[in-house]
């Protein structure tokens, strides 16, 4: 029997008991219907009933009414409970002390139960907006009566989490769009306006503005946008929109910190301002606005720094790019347009088929002025010259500072002066003379060269190079001004063409070694050889060294060619030695460029390794010009070379400018007398005395002497009398290839 049946059984048994008691009091059976009507119940009392009988029957009637009231209340409660159990949004149940279910709802197939259309669900919020409830309302019918039931679930935490998630997503969507915007922006105006537009159309935001710091430290509105599509750039002095929180932005600029605030009485109810920095300096302020009150809470304030950093990075990138563009086109010393700016302007003129003349004006001895008076004075002089040039250059002309002490002017073809007239009548009187630079009085002179656009070139680089060539040629003739001579261009073209040929010859191994013998003047025996480079051209045959060696030195190719000559000399020496011959020590010339190169020592070591360093197969010859730069470094290199048992000779002694005191301190072994002295020795007593002095000097310094260019027996005899140890020249043999030189060697 279930619980409900048990309750009904108790109710019926209680009624029967009251009926039995009523019959006992009345002395006769009382029908059950009489119990429901108190008047009928009292009518069953006997006529002679006592007061106790009447009171007992009244108690029975009262008990019956109480039972009926309890039964009605219980039925209503059961109806209410059943209604809530049926419509509750979550399962409900009641268990007894033994853990058995007394009542339950939604315990089975809760997910699949269809929704009751009579149930309404609403979200309700308290007046202060701090609490949120999910409210269910539903009808309940009990014994013919209609009621409304309901339940409320506190979902404040869930609502706050959802709102925080939405804010988080919206914020980082804005941040990611800002990040994507930055690399696409080409100007500050574009970046700032697009950033404001993105922010203004972000959910919960309505307006955005970026203000920029002026030179006097004040803020002015730079760009703004609103959700309604009102967006524009602003200039300093314009009246900003009414919603702009100017005071808040100024405070943020001064403090460098994020600020937010409410704006009572404004349609835009709250705002937040973040500082913007460029190169760690305040640049401006970005402000964001919302119609919601207190919208910019701790969440926004904590993350505003990310937005500030992103915008600051984009603005800094463009500001620095603009500054670099400006600096690249402005000479920082004089304030005049730079060479880059001049090149762009000449390119534009050439594209428009303009004609005119490019003048290159050079301040003579500017490096010496800088050394004598100091860099500050030199810079001051350039600024004075730049100011004077500005005063005489017309608007139709171009002016630029294109190098240290050099200025360029473009004269259009339709001008009132020719290039020569401008220099002689305007530039020289204006620029040439005395300048007072601080405490220094500096005298300045100029030279100028000219090249024509487009006849001499169509780029600034071409025209300036040719104007410099004209200037240099004029200066050699002691003239103030020179016009470019196109015939001289052919010489330069030949040099360029020759350089290309030499580079290809180096790659194709066209440079070969010839060897000229060195003879002991006392015995006449072979004591050494000098390796000389030759160019075996595929079409021209052997090219004389005088035609290509200067170009090798001018282009720096002499380093690679010299390394190749040294290695091949040691290869040939090793070949002769392995063939059973007795090769002498081979002298290799080291050019000044090689001597200055850091790889010289390793090149010598590598070459010695090829031949066998213990046999002392190598010596080097260096010119005086290689020795007159850094004395300490020269001595260090020579000591390292001699430590490898490689003797060092000074070549062409007497043709350079080294002092005797300098020579005394150098670690060298041999002195070579230049052939120009040897050939004149037999004809001029002065040269005879000079050679004698050189030989005596060398012997006093414990150096051996080798004479070059000996062509006659008389020259050889005189050198022998002067106690010169060795000689070389056509008298003893011309330079020959390696296989022919091998025929001169004795067997080992």
């Amino acid at each position: 029997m279930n619980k409900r049946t048990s309750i009904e059984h108790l109710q019926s048994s209680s009624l029967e008991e009251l009926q039995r008691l009523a019959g006992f009091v009345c002395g006769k059976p009382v029908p059950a219907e009489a119990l429901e009507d108190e008047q009928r119940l009292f009518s069953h009392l006997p006529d002679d009933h006592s007061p106790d009988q009447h009171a007992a029957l009244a108690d029975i009637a009262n008990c019956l009414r109480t039972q009926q009231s309890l039964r009605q209340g219980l039925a209503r409660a059961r109806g209410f409970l059943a209604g809530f159990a049926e419509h509750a949004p979550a399962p409900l149940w009641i268990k007894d002390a033994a853990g058995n279910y007394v009542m339950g709802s939604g315990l089975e197939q809760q997910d699949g139960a269809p929704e009751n259309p009579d149930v309404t669900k609403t979200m309700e919020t308290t007046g202060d907006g701090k609490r949120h409830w999910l409210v269910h309302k539903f009808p309940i019918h009990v014994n013919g009566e209609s009621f409304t039931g309901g339940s409320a679930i506190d979902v404040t935490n869930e609502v706050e989490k959802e709102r925080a998630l939405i804010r988080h997503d919206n914020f980082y969507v804005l941040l990611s769009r800002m990040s994507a915007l930055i690399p696409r922006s080409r100007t500050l105006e574009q970046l700032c306006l697009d950033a404001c537009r993105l922010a203004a159309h972000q959910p919960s935001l309505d307006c955005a503005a970026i203000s920029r710091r002026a030179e006097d430290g004040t803020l002015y509105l730079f760009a703004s946008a609103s959700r309604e599509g009102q967006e524009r750039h602003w200039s300093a002095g314009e009246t900003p929109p009414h919603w702009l929180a100017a005071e808040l932005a100024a405070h943020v600029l001064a403090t460098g910190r994020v600020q937010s605030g409410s704006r009572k009485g404004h349609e835009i109810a709250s705002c937040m301002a973040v500082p913007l920095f460029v190169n760690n300096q305040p640049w401006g302020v970005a402000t964001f606005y919302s119609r919601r009150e207190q919208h910019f809470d701790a969440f926004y304030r904590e993350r505003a720094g990310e937005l500030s950093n992103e915008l600051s990075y984009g603005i800094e990138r463009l500001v620095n790019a603009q500054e670099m563009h400006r600096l690249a086109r402005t000479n920082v010393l004089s304030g005049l347009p730079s060479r880059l700016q001049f090149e762009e302007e000449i390119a534009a003129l050439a594209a428009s088929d303009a004609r005119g003349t490019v003048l290159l004006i050079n301040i003579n001895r500017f490096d010496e002025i800088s050394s004598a008076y100091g860099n500050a004075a030199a810079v001051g002089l350039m600024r004075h010259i730049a100011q004077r040039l500005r005063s005489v250059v017309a608007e139709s002309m171009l002016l630029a500072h294109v190098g240290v002490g050099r200025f360029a002017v473009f004269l259009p073809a339709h001008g009132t002066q020719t290039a020569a007239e401008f220099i002689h009548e305007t530039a020289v009187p204006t620029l040439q003379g005395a300048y007072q630079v601080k405490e220094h009085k500096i005298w300045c002179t100029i030279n100028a060269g000219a090249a024509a656009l487009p006849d001499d070139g169509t780029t600034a680089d071409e025209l300036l190079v040719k104007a410099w060539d004209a200037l240099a040629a004029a200066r050699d003739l002691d003239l103030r001004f020179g016009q470019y001579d196109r015939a001289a261009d052919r010489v330069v073209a030949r040099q360029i063409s020759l350089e290309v040929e030499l580079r290809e010859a180096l790659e194709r191994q066209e440079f070969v070694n010839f060897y000229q013998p060195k003879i002991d003047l006392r015995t006449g025996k072979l004591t050494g050889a000098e390796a000389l480079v030759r160019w075996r051209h595929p079409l021209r045959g052997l090219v004389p060294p005088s035609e290509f060696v200067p170009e090798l030195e001018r282009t720096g190719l002499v380093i690679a060619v010299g390394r190749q000559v040294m290695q091949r000399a040691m290869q040939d020496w090793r070949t002769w030695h392995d063939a059973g011959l007795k090769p002498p020590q081979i002298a290799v010339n080291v050019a000044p460029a090689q001597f200055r190169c850091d790889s010289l020592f390793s090149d010598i070591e590598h070459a010695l390794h090829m031949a066998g360093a213990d046999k002392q197969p190598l010596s080097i010859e260096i010119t005086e010009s290689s020795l007159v730069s850094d004395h300490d470094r020269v001595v260090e290199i020579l000591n390292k070379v001699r430590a490898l048992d490689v003797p060092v000779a000074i070549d062409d002694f007497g043709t350079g400018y080294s002092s005797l005191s300098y020579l005394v301190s150098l670690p060298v072994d041999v002195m070579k007398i230049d052939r120009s002295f040897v050939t004149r020795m037999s004809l001029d007593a002065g040269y005879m005395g000079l050679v004698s002095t050189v030989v005596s000097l060398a012997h006093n310094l414990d150096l051996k002497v080798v004479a070059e260019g000996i062509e006659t027996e008389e020259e050889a005899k005189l050198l022998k009398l002067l106690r010169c140890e060795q000689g070389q020249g056509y008298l003893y043999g011309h330079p020959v290839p390696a296989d022919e030189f091998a025929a001169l060697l004795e067997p080992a």
Side-chain angles (χ1 to χ4, degrees):
M1 182 171 60
N2 58 30
K3 301 295 182 180
R4 182 166 183 169
T5 304
S6 298
I7 293 172
E8 291 176 350
H9 173 72
L10 289 174
Q11 291 175 350
S12 62
S13 61
S14 176
L15 183 63
E16 291 175 358
E17 184 65 23
L18 290 175
Q19 184 180 1
R20 187 183 65 78
L21 289 175
F24 176 76
V25 171
C26 293
K28 57 181 179 181
V30 176
E33 296 80 8
L35 294 177
E36 298 177 1
D37 187 350
E38 188 172 348
Q39 294 299 325
R40 286 184 64 187
L41 179 62
F42 281 111
S43 66
H44 286 79
L45 284 171
D47 296 335
D48 56 349
H49 63 277
S50 64
D52 291 337
Q53 287 179 300
H54 188 276
L57 196 61
D59 289 340
I60 292 172
N62 185 51
C63 182
L64 182 61
R65 287 195 301 273
T66 301
Q67 286 185 357
Q68 289 177 341
S69 177
L70 288 174
R71 281 197 296 272
Q72 289 176 356
L74 180 61
R76 175 175 287 188
R78 288 173 56 200
F80 289 158
L81 186 60
F84 271 94
E86 180 181 355
H87 299 292
L92 298 176
W93 65 87
I94 299 175
K95 291 183 179 181
D96 59 16
N100 299 316
Y101 284 100
V102 176
M103 185 205 73
S105 70
L107 298 178
E108 296 181 359
Q109 300 179 347
Q110 177 74 15
D111 294 339
E115 288 194 11
N116 189 332
D118 296 331
V119 177
T120 61
K121 292 184 288 186
T122 59
M123 181 72 73
E124 297 185 10
T125 304
T126 58
D128 58 6
K130 295 181 178 180
R131 306 290 290 178
H132 307 278
W133 306 87
L134 179 62
V135 177
H136 287 71
K137 295 180 181 180
F138 42 83
I140 298 177
H141 303 284
V142 177
N143 297 331
E145 293 184 82
S146 296
F147 302 90
T148 299
S151 67
I153 302 174
D154 188 348
V155 292
T156 302
N157 290 338
E158 287 74 10
V159 170
E160 292 301 324
K161 289 178 181 178
E162 183 179 4
R163 289 183 177 178
L165 183 61
I166 293 173
R167 287 200 306 270
H168 181 280
D169 290 346
N170 288 342
F171 178 84
Y172 283 103
V173 165
L174 175 61
L175 194 62
S176 66
R177 288 176 177 173
M178 291 280 188
S179 300
L181 178 68
I182 288 171
R184 298 198 305 266
S185 300
R186 294 292 176 265
T187 64
L188 273 175
E189 291 77 9
Q190 179 189 357
L191 172 63
C192 292
L193 188 61
D194 288 348
C196 291
R197 183 186 303 115
L198 279 178
H201 288 82
Q202 191 69 12
S204 74
L205 297 182
D206 296 282
C207 304
I210 293 179
S211 301
R212 184 174 182 178
R213 182 175 179 270
E215 292 184 1
D216 60 1
T218 60
L219 274 178
Y220 70 93
L221 186 58
F222 187 64
S224 68
S226 66
R227 183 178 293 275
E228 290 75 19
Q230 298 172 345
E231 53 188 51
R232 57 168 293 189
H233 296 292
W234 301 79
S235 301
E238 291 188 86
T239 303
H242 67 279
W243 47 261
L244 185 72
E247 293 182 0
L248 181 67
H251 180 68
V252 169
L253 181 70
T255 61
R257 296 180 180 178
V258 176
Q259 297 287 337
S260 63
S262 61
R263 311 179 76 227
K264 295 181 179 179
H266 285 264
E267 181 184 1
I268 304 298
S270 59
C271 62
M272 179 178 70
V274 300
L276 302 174
F277 298 93
V278 169
N279 300 322
N280 297 321
Q281 297 297 320
W283 182 88
V285 176
T287 49
F288 305 93
Y289 302 85
S290 174
R291 288 187 170 89
R292 300 182 183 181
E293 293 185 359
Q294 299 179 347
H295 176 71
F296 299 101
D297 55 8
F299 174 85
Y300 276 97
R301 292 194 298 271
E302 289 172 1
R303 290 157 179 80
E306 299 178 49
L307 201 58
S308 172
N309 291 341
E310 199 68 29
L311 270 174
S312 295
Y313 166 74
I315 293 172
E316 180 177 289
R317 170 179 166 269
L318 292 172
V319 167
N320 290 342
Q322 288 180 352
E323 183 64 11
M324 289 178 63
H325 184 276
R326 186 190 68 80
L327 290 176
R329 286 155 180 80
T330 304
N331 188 288
V332 295
L333 298 179
S334 64
L336 293 178
S338 67
R339 178 169 183 142
L340 178 60
Q341 179 72 13
F342 189 71
E343 289 175 350
E344 293 176 351
E345 291 173 336
I346 292 297
L349 289 171
S352 63
D353 296 327
R355 303 184 68 85
T357 303
V358 168
L359 292 173
L360 181 62
I361 300 173
N362 182 66
I363 310 304
N364 292 328
R365 303 176 64 191
F366 188 82
D367 291 339
E368 296 178 25
I369 292 173
S370 180
S371 299
Y373 298 104
N375 187 61
V379 170
L381 175 63
M382 276 197 296
R383 288 173 177 165
H384 282 299
I385 293 172
Q387 290 174 358
R388 293 190 184 184
L389 273 173
R390 274 199 188 99
S391 66
V392 297
V393 170
E395 292 184 2
S396 60
M397 302 159 65
L398 299 179
L399 172 63
H401 191 168
V402 295
V404 178
R406 296 177 188 173
F407 301 87
V409 177
F410 175 76
L411 277 68
H414 55 74
T416 58
Q417 289 179 303
T418 64
E421 290 171 344
F422 178 82
I423 294 299
H424 291 299
E425 298 174 7
T426 303
V428 170
T430 302
L431 303 180
Q432 195 157 280
Y435 290 79
Q436 188 68 41
V437 183
K438 295 185 179 179
E439 69 275 14
H440 304 294
K441 191 170 186 178
I442 304 174
W443 183 267
C444 176
T445 62
I446 67 167
N447 281 90
L453 172 75
D455 298 335
D456 296 331
T458 56
T459 68
D461 189 61
E462 291 176 324
L463 294 166
L464 289 173
V465 168
K466 293 177 179 179
W468 176 256
D469 291 341
L471 184 153
R475 190 161 53 189
D476 291 341
L477 299 174
D478 199 22
L479 299 174
R480 285 274 174 256
F481 171 76
Q483 185 76 37
Y484 175 70
D485 181 6
R486 281 183 284 277
D489 202 21
R490 290 191 291 271
V491 176
V492 177
R494 172 57 188 154
Q495 288 180 337
I496 295 173
S497 176
L498 180 58
E499 179 181 350
V500 173
E501 287 188 87
L502 290 174
R503 292 186 183 276
E504 293 175 348
L506 181 62
E507 293 177 2
R508 293 195 294 258
Q509 301 283 320
E510 292 177 2
F511 295 106
V512 296
N513 285 12
F514 275 45
Y515 299 94
Q516 186 174 32
K518 291 181 180 179
I519 303 299
D520 188 321
L521 294 179
R522 289 174 297 175
T523 64
K525 292 185 177 181
L526 179 68
T527 59
E530 181 178 359
L532 301 170
V533 65
R534 296 292 184 267
W535 180 14
R536 198 182 297 279
H537 196 281
L539 299 177
R540 297 169 56 193
L542 282 178
V543 180
S546 58
E547 290 190 24
F548 67 88
V549 170
E551 188 64 19
L552 288 178
E553 294 176 342
R554 189 187 69 82
T555 59
L557 290 172
V558 70
I559 296 175
V561 174
R563 182 185 299 118
Q564 191 179 90
V565 168
M566 185 181 298
Q567 292 176 357
R568 185 170 289 118
M570 293 298 95
Q571 289 173 348
D572 290 340
W573 191 97
R574 188 72 192 184
T575 300
W576 298 331
H577 179 274
D578 293 345
L581 301 175
K582 188 177 180 180
Q585 191 175 72
I586 299 179
V588 175
N589 290 288
V590 174
Q594 286 178 272
F595 195 77
R596 293 189 297 268
C597 183
D598 294 335
S599 65
L600 173 62
F601 187 74
S602 60
D603 291 342
I604 294 175
E605 282 188 313
H606 179 65
L608 286 174
H609 179 72
M610 297 172 67
D614 58 318
K615 299 177 178 60
Q616 297 184 351
L618 177 67
S619 66
I620 65 170
E621 297 181 359
I622 56 178
T623 60
E624 287 184 73
S625 59
S626 302
L627 307 175
V628 296
S629 55
D630 186 346
H631 180 267
D632 293 338
R633 182 174 180 275
V634 167
V635 171
E636 179 186 358
I637 294 173
L638 293 181
N639 281 328
K640 290 175 66 177
V641 171
R642 293 178 79 203
L644 297 173
D645 289 331
V646 175
V648 179
I650 299 179
D651 197 12
D652 301 334
F653 182 78
T655 61
Y657 302 98
S658 60
S659 66
L660 295 179
S661 62
Y662 190 81
L663 178 65
V664 169
S665 61
L666 291 175
V668 295
D669 305 280
V670 179
M671 182 183 295
K672 296 188 73 174
I673 301 175
D674 187 68
R675 66 183 301 276
S676 62
F677 297 145
V678 173
T679 55
R680 296 179 183 178
M681 182 178 61
S682 60
L683 304 175
D684 190 328
Y687 277 91
M688 182 68 177
L690 180 60
V691 172
S692 176
T693 300
V694 171
V695 173
S696 298
L697 173 64
H699 288 162
N700 288 334
L701 296 175
D702 199 22
L703 304 177
K704 292 182 180 180
V705 181
V706 178
E708 295 183 295
I710 303 175
E711 297 185 359
T712 65
E713 289 288 351
E714 183 179 2
E715 292 170 351
K717 194 177 297 183
L718 290 173
L719 289 168
K720 188 185 299 184
L721 290 173
L722 294 175
R723 295 184 300 119
C724 180
E725 286 90 344
Q726 295 180 1
Q728 67 182 93
Y730 291 165
L731 178 63
Y732 305 112
H734 288 69
V736 293
D739 54 349
E740 294 184 28
F741 186 79
L744 304 177
L745 303 180
E746 298 178 359

